[in-house]
Amino acid sequence: MKTQPTTHVQQEPDTPFVEPPCEQALLRGALDGDCAAWSLLIARHNQRVVVSLLARGVPLDRAKDLAQETWMRLIESQRRGRLLSLSLPGLAIVQAGFLLANARRHDDGCRGRVHAIDEPPCSCPAPDEQLIKKQELHRVTAALADLSPSARRVFQFVYEHPELSYAEAALQLQLSTQRVKQTVCEVRKRLRAALLDEVS
Amino acid sequence: MSAFHPPQEDFALYVMGALERQDCERLEQHVRTCAACAELLASEARVEVKLHAIIANIPRPDEKDTSHRLDVPPPGVLEPVVFSSSRRTLWAPALVLLAASVALVFGLGRVITPPSGHLSDALPYTPQEFSIPLFSEEASLPASPLEPQTMMCARQVKHEQCALSDGDEASACDEHSDEMSDGDPQFTPVSATCVAPR
């Protein structure tokens, strides 16, 4: 497989940094029906929603469409007064999952497949699933422990604050954006190897 | 399908949201027509989702303040319950009511029957005004002026259906009345609100 020789980590120009709006303020604004707040929240979290759909085997364009529909549903819910609280990207990912399940059920119905009457889904994972998750958690924790404290700090900060862009995270960490991206990329590579250890 | 596949690192950067815009577009364009790369992208996406889930569940040893995980305010942020009056004016009715409650239970209970059938009607304040501060010594104050009445319904488990909310209903529980009256046929149960949870 030939590969392109280019790998570009996104570089951002050295423009004066404008303090990003606080996530909580945006969430409150969105709950109050502020369109600008919705736009900023969508820009921040849409990628996570698309990635969650890609992870479930949805083709890219379909994932983008479903993500778009997800946001429309959320905004519609807010306008009808049904959205009492908002937590992103979690709520959007869950909503996207529902839409995907509906779409798949509809597609199967059109093809003539018959679904069994739905049993109530069990919220607790199966024991073997739990064991796998526990092992994964153990492996990733061990891999994280092997990292340098600064790399661990950067990685955890970025992953624990999905609402922040890399530039915003870099500002908080008092590092350059480039440095943050490189660190996260390297750490992720190690954690990925630790995660996929079960396969090899 | 284009002749060149994007480097594997780009897939990781894409799901991390760290890939430059033009590279993003190029990768997306390629993935639309290349099944192998689409599968690679899905695989990276699965890793990304797992990592997010795992990182969210890793306890941090250096983290003393875990309040942000539990969505509770850190210590010291909790506001104490505000008194509606000064401490002195709070204690006075509390003591009076304690004495009144004791008297009601041990002595007057057999004689006096409030006409309204509700003990709280006879009180000089409403129970809602009686606020106990959280996390202080004063939490050991009499929890409520209605507390002694729970003594009158000490057999709650046995008398699940026993309603003491008004005089008529109180008489519905004959067994209870007999126990309280010691067999006295003139006994009239004190009407009270049973504050024990059912």
Side-chain angles (χ1 to χ4, degrees), chain A residues 113-174:
Chain A
R113 290 185 203 164
V114 179
H115 281 277
I117 299 298
D118 291 341
E119 292 176 10
C122 180
S123 58
C124 51
D128 55 341
E129 213 172 301
Q130 276 181 330
L131 186 64
I132 289 170
K133 280 183 180 170
K134 209 175 265 187
Q135 286 171 346
E136 285 174 348
L137 180 65
H138 182 71
R139 281 202 301 272
V140 171
T141 310
L144 268 175
D146 286 343
L147 298 170
S148 70
S150 57
R152 188 166 55 235
R153 176 172 152 260
V154 169
F155 183 81
Q156 287 195 323
F157 184 85
V158 169
Y159 271 70
E160 286 173 358
H161 295 85
E163 74 278 6
L164 297 181
S165 69
Y166 280 88
E168 290 162 359
L171 187 77
Q172 300 267 340
L173 292 164
Q174 297 179 335

Coordinates of all heavy atoms in Angstrom, one line a residue, chain A residues 113-174:
Chain A
R113 N -36.6 -7.8 6.6 CA -36.1 -8.6 7.7 C -37.1 -8.3 8.9 O -37.6 -7.2 9.1 CB -34.7 -8.2 8.1 CG -33.7 -8.6 7.2 CD -32.3 -8.2 7.7 NE -31.4 -8.1 6.6 CZ -30.2 -7.5 6.7 NH1 -29.8 -7.0 7.9 NH2 -29.4 -7.5 5.7
V114 N -37.3 -9.3 9.6 CA -38.2 -9.2 10.8 C -37.4 -9.2 12.1 O -36.6 -10.1 12.3 CB -39.3 -10.3 10.8 CG1 -40.2 -10.2 12.0 CG2 -40.0 -10.4 9.5
H115 N -37.7 -8.2 12.8 CA -37.0 -8.1 14.1 C -37.9 -8.8 15.2 O -39.1 -8.7 15.2 CB -36.8 -6.7 14.6 CG -35.7 -6.0 13.9 ND1 -34.4 -6.2 14.3 CD2 -35.6 -5.3 12.8 CE1 -33.6 -5.5 13.5 NE2 -34.3 -5.0 12.6
A116 N -37.2 -9.5 16.1 CA -38.0 -10.0 17.2 C -38.5 -8.8 18.0 O -38.0 -7.7 18.0 CB -37.1 -10.8 18.1
I117 N -39.6 -9.1 18.7 CA -40.1 -8.0 19.6 C -39.0 -7.6 20.6 O -38.4 -8.5 21.2 CB -41.4 -8.5 20.3 CG1 -42.5 -8.8 19.3 CG2 -41.9 -7.4 21.3 CD1 -42.9 -7.7 18.4
D118 N -38.8 -6.4 20.6 CA -37.6 -5.9 21.4 C -37.8 -6.4 22.9 O -38.8 -6.1 23.5 CB -37.5 -4.4 21.4 CG -37.1 -4.0 20.0 OD1 -36.6 -4.8 19.3 OD2 -37.3 -2.8 19.7
E119 N -36.7 -7.0 23.3 CA -36.6 -7.2 24.8 C -36.0 -6.0 25.3 O -35.3 -5.3 24.7 CB -35.7 -8.4 25.1 CG -36.3 -9.7 24.6 CD -35.3 -10.9 24.8 OE1 -34.2 -10.6 25.5 OE2 -35.5 -12.0 24.3
P120 N -36.4 -5.7 26.5 CA -35.8 -4.5 27.1 C -34.3 -4.7 27.2 O -33.8 -5.7 27.7 CB -36.4 -4.4 28.5 CG -37.0 -5.7 28.8 CD -37.3 -6.3 27.5
P121 N -33.5 -3.7 26.6 CA -32.1 -3.9 26.6 C -31.5 -3.9 28.0 O -31.9 -3.1 28.9 CB -31.6 -2.6 25.9 CG -32.7 -1.7 26.0 CD -34.0 -2.4 26.1
C122 N -30.6 -4.8 28.3 CA -30.0 -4.9 29.6 C -28.9 -3.8 29.7 O -28.0 -3.8 28.8 CB -29.5 -6.3 29.8 SG -28.7 -6.4 31.4
S123 N -29.0 -3.0 30.7 CA -28.0 -1.9 30.7 C -26.6 -2.4 31.2 O -25.6 -1.8 31.0 CB -28.5 -0.8 31.7 OG -28.8 -1.4 32.9
C124 N -26.6 -3.6 31.9 CA -25.4 -4.0 32.5 C -24.7 -4.9 31.4 O -25.3 -5.7 30.8 CB -25.6 -4.8 33.7 SG -26.8 -6.1 33.6
P125 N -23.4 -4.7 31.3 CA -22.6 -5.5 30.3 C -22.5 -7.0 30.7 O -22.6 -7.3 31.9 CB -21.3 -4.8 30.2 CG -21.2 -4.1 31.4 CD -22.5 -3.7 31.9
A126 N -22.3 -7.8 29.8 CA -22.1 -9.3 30.1 C -20.8 -9.4 30.9 O -19.9 -8.6 30.8 CB -22.0 -10.1 28.8
P127 N -20.7 -10.5 31.6 CA -19.5 -10.7 32.5 C -18.2 -10.7 31.7 O -17.2 -10.1 32.1 CB -19.7 -12.0 33.1 CG -21.2 -12.2 33.1 CD -21.7 -11.5 31.9
D128 N -18.2 -11.3 30.5 CA -16.9 -11.3 29.7 C -16.6 -10.0 29.2 O -15.4 -9.6 29.1 CB -17.0 -12.4 28.6 CG -18.2 -12.1 27.7 OD1 -19.1 -11.4 28.2 OD2 -18.2 -12.6 26.6
E129 N -17.7 -9.2 28.9 CA -17.5 -7.8 28.4 C -16.9 -7.0 29.5 O -16.0 -6.2 29.3 CB -18.8 -7.3 28.0 CG -18.8 -6.3 26.9 CD -20.2 -6.0 26.4 OE1 -20.9 -6.9 26.1 OE2 -20.6 -4.8 26.5
Q130 N -17.4 -7.2 30.7 CA -16.9 -6.5 31.9 C -15.4 -6.8 32.1 O -14.6 -5.9 32.4 CB -17.7 -6.9 33.1 CG -19.0 -6.1 33.3 CD -19.7 -6.5 34.6 OE1 -19.6 -7.6 35.0 NE2 -20.4 -5.6 35.1
L131 N -15.1 -8.1 31.9 CA -13.7 -8.5 32.1 C -12.8 -7.9 31.1 O -11.7 -7.4 31.5 CB -13.6 -10.0 32.0 CG -12.3 -10.6 32.4 CD1 -11.9 -10.4 33.8 CD2 -12.3 -12.1 32.1
I132 N -13.2 -7.8 29.9 CA -12.4 -7.2 28.8 C -12.2 -5.7 29.1 O -11.1 -5.2 29.1 CB -13.1 -7.4 27.5 CG1 -13.0 -8.8 27.0 CG2 -12.5 -6.5 26.4 CD1 -13.8 -9.2 25.8
K133 N -13.3 -5.1 29.6 CA -13.2 -3.7 29.9 C -12.2 -3.4 31.0 O -11.4 -2.5 31.1 CB -14.5 -3.1 30.2 CG -15.3 -2.8 29.0 CD -16.7 -2.2 29.3 CE -17.4 -1.9 28.0 NZ -18.8 -1.5 28.3
K134 N -12.3 -4.3 32.0 CA -11.4 -4.2 33.2 C -9.9 -4.4 32.7 O -9.1 -3.7 33.2 CB -11.8 -5.2 34.2 CG -11.5 -4.8 35.6 CD -12.0 -5.8 36.6 CE -13.4 -5.5 37.1 NZ -13.8 -6.3 38.2
Q135 N -9.7 -5.4 31.9 CA -8.4 -5.6 31.4 C -7.9 -4.4 30.6 O -6.7 -4.0 30.7 CB -8.3 -6.9 30.5 CG -8.4 -8.1 31.4 CD -8.6 -9.4 30.5 OE1 -8.9 -9.3 29.3 NE2 -8.4 -10.5 31.1
E136 N -8.7 -3.9 29.8 CA -8.3 -2.7 29.0 C -8.0 -1.5 29.9 O -7.0 -0.9 29.7 CB -9.5 -2.3 28.0 CG -9.6 -3.2 26.8 CD -10.8 -2.8 26.0 OE1 -11.7 -2.1 26.5 OE2 -11.0 -3.4 24.9
L137 N -8.8 -1.3 30.9 CA -8.6 -0.3 31.8 C -7.2 -0.5 32.5 O -6.4 0.5 32.7 CB -9.7 -0.2 32.8 CG -9.6 0.9 33.9 CD1 -9.7 2.3 33.3 CD2 -10.7 0.7 34.9
H138 N -7.0 -1.7 32.9 CA -5.7 -2.0 33.6 C -4.5 -1.8 32.7 O -3.5 -1.1 33.1 CB -5.7 -3.5 34.0 CG -4.5 -3.9 34.8 ND1 -4.3 -3.5 36.1 CD2 -3.5 -4.7 34.4 CE1 -3.2 -4.0 36.5 NE2 -2.6 -4.7 35.5
R139 N -4.6 -2.2 31.4 CA -3.5 -2.0 30.5 C -3.2 -0.5 30.2 O -2.1 -0.1 30.2 CB -3.8 -2.8 29.2 CG -3.6 -4.3 29.2 CD -3.3 -4.8 27.9 NE -4.5 -4.6 27.0 CZ -5.5 -5.4 26.9 NH1 -5.6 -6.5 27.6 NH2 -6.5 -5.1 26.0
V140 N -4.3 0.2 30.0 CA -4.1 1.6 29.7 C -3.6 2.4 30.9 O -2.7 3.2 30.8 CB -5.5 2.2 29.2 CG1 -5.4 3.7 29.1 CG2 -5.9 1.7 27.8
T141 N -4.1 2.0 32.1 CA -3.6 2.6 33.3 C -2.1 2.3 33.4 O -1.3 3.2 33.8 CB -4.3 2.1 34.5 OG1 -5.7 2.2 34.3 CG2 -4.0 2.9 35.7
A142 N -1.7 1.1 33.2 CA -0.3 0.7 33.3 C 0.5 1.5 32.2 O 1.6 2.0 32.6 CB -0.1 -0.7 33.1
A143 N 0.0 1.6 31.0 CA 0.7 2.4 30.0 C 0.9 3.9 30.4 O 1.9 4.5 30.1 CB 0.0 2.2 28.6
L144 N -0.2 4.4 31.0 CA -0.2 5.8 31.4 C 0.9 6.0 32.5 O 1.5 7.0 32.6 CB -1.5 6.2 31.9 CG -2.5 6.8 30.9 CD1 -3.8 7.1 31.5 CD2 -2.0 8.1 30.3
A145 N 1.0 5.0 33.4 CA 1.9 5.1 34.5 C 3.3 5.1 34.0 O 4.2 5.7 34.7 CB 1.7 4.0 35.5
D146 N 3.6 4.5 32.8 CA 5.0 4.5 32.3 C 5.4 5.9 31.7 O 6.5 6.1 31.4 CB 5.1 3.4 31.2 CG 5.1 2.1 31.9 OD1 5.4 2.0 33.1 OD2 4.9 1.1 31.2
L147 N 4.4 6.7 31.5 CA 4.7 8.0 30.8 C 5.4 9.0 31.7 O 5.3 8.8 33.0 CB 3.4 8.6 30.3 CG 2.6 7.8 29.2 CD1 1.2 8.5 29.0 CD2 3.4 7.8 27.9
S148 N 6.0 10.0 31.1 CA 6.5 11.0 32.0 C 5.3 11.8 32.6 O 4.3 11.9 31.9 CB 7.4 12.0 31.2 OG 6.6 12.7 30.3
P149 N 5.5 12.4 33.7 CA 4.4 13.1 34.3 C 3.8 14.2 33.5 O 2.6 14.4 33.4 CB 5.0 13.7 35.6 CG 6.1 12.8 35.9 CD 6.7 12.3 34.6
S150 N 4.7 14.9 32.8 CA 4.2 16.0 31.9 C 3.4 15.5 30.8 O 2.4 16.1 30.4 CB 5.4 16.9 31.4 OG 6.3 16.0 30.7
A151 N 3.9 14.4 30.1 CA 3.1 13.9 29.0 C 1.8 13.4 29.5 O 0.7 13.6 28.8 CB 3.9 12.7 28.4
R152 N 1.8 12.7 30.6 CA 0.5 12.2 31.2 C -0.5 13.3 31.5 O -1.7 13.3 31.2 CB 0.8 11.4 32.5 CG -0.4 10.7 33.0 CD 0.0 9.6 34.0 NE 0.8 10.2 35.1 CZ 2.0 9.7 35.5 NH1 2.5 8.7 34.8 NH2 2.6 10.3 36.5
R153 N 0.1 14.4 32.0 CA -0.7 15.5 32.4 C -1.4 16.2 31.1 O -2.6 16.4 31.1 CB 0.1 16.6 33.1 CG -0.6 17.9 33.5 CD 0.3 18.7 34.3 NE 0.0 20.1 34.2 CZ 0.7 21.0 33.4 NH1 1.8 20.6 32.8 NH2 0.3 22.2 33.3
V154 N -0.6 16.3 30.1 CA -1.1 16.9 28.9 C -2.2 16.0 28.3 O -3.3 16.5 27.9 CB 0.1 17.1 27.8 CG1 -0.5 17.5 26.5 CG2 1.0 18.2 28.3
F155 N -1.9 14.7 28.2 CA -2.8 13.8 27.6 C -4.1 13.8 28.4 O -5.2 13.9 27.8 CB -2.2 12.4 27.5 CG -3.1 11.4 26.8 CD1 -3.1 11.3 25.5 CD2 -3.9 10.6 27.6 CE1 -4.0 10.4 24.8 CE2 -4.7 9.7 26.9 CZ -4.8 9.6 25.6
Q156 N -4.0 13.6 29.7 CA -5.3 13.6 30.4 C -6.1 14.9 30.4 O -7.3 14.8 30.3 CB -4.9 13.2 31.9 CG -4.5 11.7 32.0 CD -4.5 11.2 33.4 OE1 -4.2 12.0 34.3 NE2 -4.9 10.0 33.6
F157 N -5.4 16.0 30.4 CA -6.1 17.2 30.3 C -6.9 17.3 29.0 O -8.0 17.7 29.0 CB -5.1 18.4 30.4 CG -5.7 19.7 30.4 CD1 -6.2 20.3 31.6 CD2 -5.9 20.5 29.3 CE1 -6.9 21.5 31.6 CE2 -6.6 21.7 29.3 CZ -7.1 22.2 30.5
V158 N -6.2 17.0 27.9 CA -6.9 17.1 26.6 C -8.1 16.1 26.5 O -9.2 16.5 26.1 CB -5.9 16.8 25.5 CG1 -6.6 16.6 24.1 CG2 -4.9 17.9 25.3
Y159 N -7.9 14.9 27.0 CA -9.0 14.0 26.9 C -10.1 14.2 28.0 O -11.2 13.7 27.8 CB -8.5 12.5 27.1 CG -8.1 12.0 25.7 CD1 -7.0 12.5 25.0 CD2 -8.8 11.0 25.1 CE1 -6.6 12.0 23.8 CE2 -8.5 10.5 23.8 CZ -7.4 11.1 23.2 OH -7.1 10.6 21.9
E160 N -9.8 14.9 29.0 CA -10.8 15.2 30.0 C -11.6 16.5 29.7 O -12.5 16.8 30.4 CB -10.2 15.2 31.4 CG -9.8 13.9 32.0 CD -9.1 14.0 33.3 OE1 -8.8 15.1 33.7 OE2 -8.7 12.9 33.8
H161 N -11.1 17.2 28.8 CA -11.8 18.4 28.4 C -12.0 18.4 26.9 O -11.4 19.2 26.1 CB -10.9 19.7 28.8 CG -10.7 19.8 30.2 ND1 -9.7 19.2 30.9 CD2 -11.4 20.5 31.2 CE1 -9.8 19.5 32.2 NE2 -10.8 20.3 32.4
P162 N -13.0 17.6 26.5 CA -13.3 17.5 25.1 C -13.8 18.8 24.5 O -13.8 18.9 23.3 CB -14.3 16.3 25.0 CG -14.9 16.3 26.3 CD -13.9 16.8 27.3
E163 N -14.3 19.7 25.3 CA -14.9 20.9 24.8 C -13.8 21.9 24.4 O -14.1 22.8 23.6 CB -15.8 21.5 25.9 CG -15.1 22.2 27.0 CD -14.6 21.2 28.1 OE1 -14.8 20.0 27.9 OE2 -14.1 21.7 29.1
L164 N -12.6 21.6 24.8 CA -11.5 22.6 24.4 C -10.9 22.2 23.1 O -10.6 21.0 22.9 CB -10.5 22.6 25.5 CG -10.9 23.1 26.9 CD1 -9.7 23.1 27.8 CD2 -11.5 24.5 26.8
S165 N -10.6 23.1 22.3 CA -9.8 22.8 21.1 C -8.3 22.7 21.5 O -8.0 23.0 22.7 CB -9.9 24.0 20.1 OG -9.2 25.1 20.6
Y166 N -7.5 22.2 20.6 CA -6.1 22.1 21.0 C -5.4 23.4 21.4 O -4.6 23.5 22.3 CB -5.3 21.4 19.9 CG -5.5 19.9 19.9 CD1 -6.6 19.4 19.2 CD2 -4.7 19.1 20.6 CE1 -6.8 18.0 19.2 CE2 -4.9 17.7 20.6 CZ -6.0 17.2 20.0 OH -6.2 15.8 20.0
A167 N -5.8 24.5 20.7 CA -5.3 25.8 21.0 C -5.7 26.2 22.4 O -4.9 26.8 23.2 CB -5.8 26.8 20.0
E168 N -7.0 26.0 22.7 CA -7.5 26.3 24.1 C -6.8 25.5 25.2 O -6.4 26.0 26.2 CB -9.0 26.2 24.1 CG -9.7 27.2 23.3 CD -11.1 26.7 23.0 OE1 -11.6 25.7 23.4 OE2 -11.8 27.5 22.3
A169 N -6.6 24.2 24.9 CA -6.0 23.4 25.9 C -4.5 23.8 26.0 O -4.0 23.8 27.2 CB -6.0 21.9 25.4
A170 N -3.9 24.2 24.9 CA -2.5 24.6 25.0 C -2.3 25.9 25.9 O -1.4 26.0 26.7 CB -1.9 24.9 23.6
L171 N -3.3 26.7 25.7 CA -3.3 28.0 26.5 C -3.4 27.6 28.0 O -2.7 28.2 28.8 CB -4.5 28.9 26.1 CG -4.5 30.2 26.7 CD1 -3.5 31.1 26.0 CD2 -5.9 30.9 26.6
Q172 N -4.3 26.7 28.3 CA -4.5 26.4 29.7 C -3.2 25.7 30.3 O -2.9 25.8 31.4 CB -5.7 25.4 29.9 CG -7.0 25.9 29.4 CD -7.8 26.6 30.5 OE1 -7.5 26.3 31.6 NE2 -8.7 27.5 30.1
L173 N -2.6 24.9 29.4 CA -1.4 24.1 29.9 C -0.1 24.9 29.8 O 0.9 24.5 30.2 CB -1.2 22.8 29.0 CG -2.3 21.8 29.3 CD1 -2.3 20.8 28.1 CD2 -2.1 21.1 30.6
Q174 N -0.2 26.1 29.2 CA 0.9 27.0 29.0 C 2.0 26.3 28.2 O 3.2 26.4 28.5 CB 1.4 27.5 30.3 CG 0.4 28.3 31.1 CD 0.9 28.7 32.4 OE1 1.8 28.1 33.0 NE2 0.4 29.8 32.9

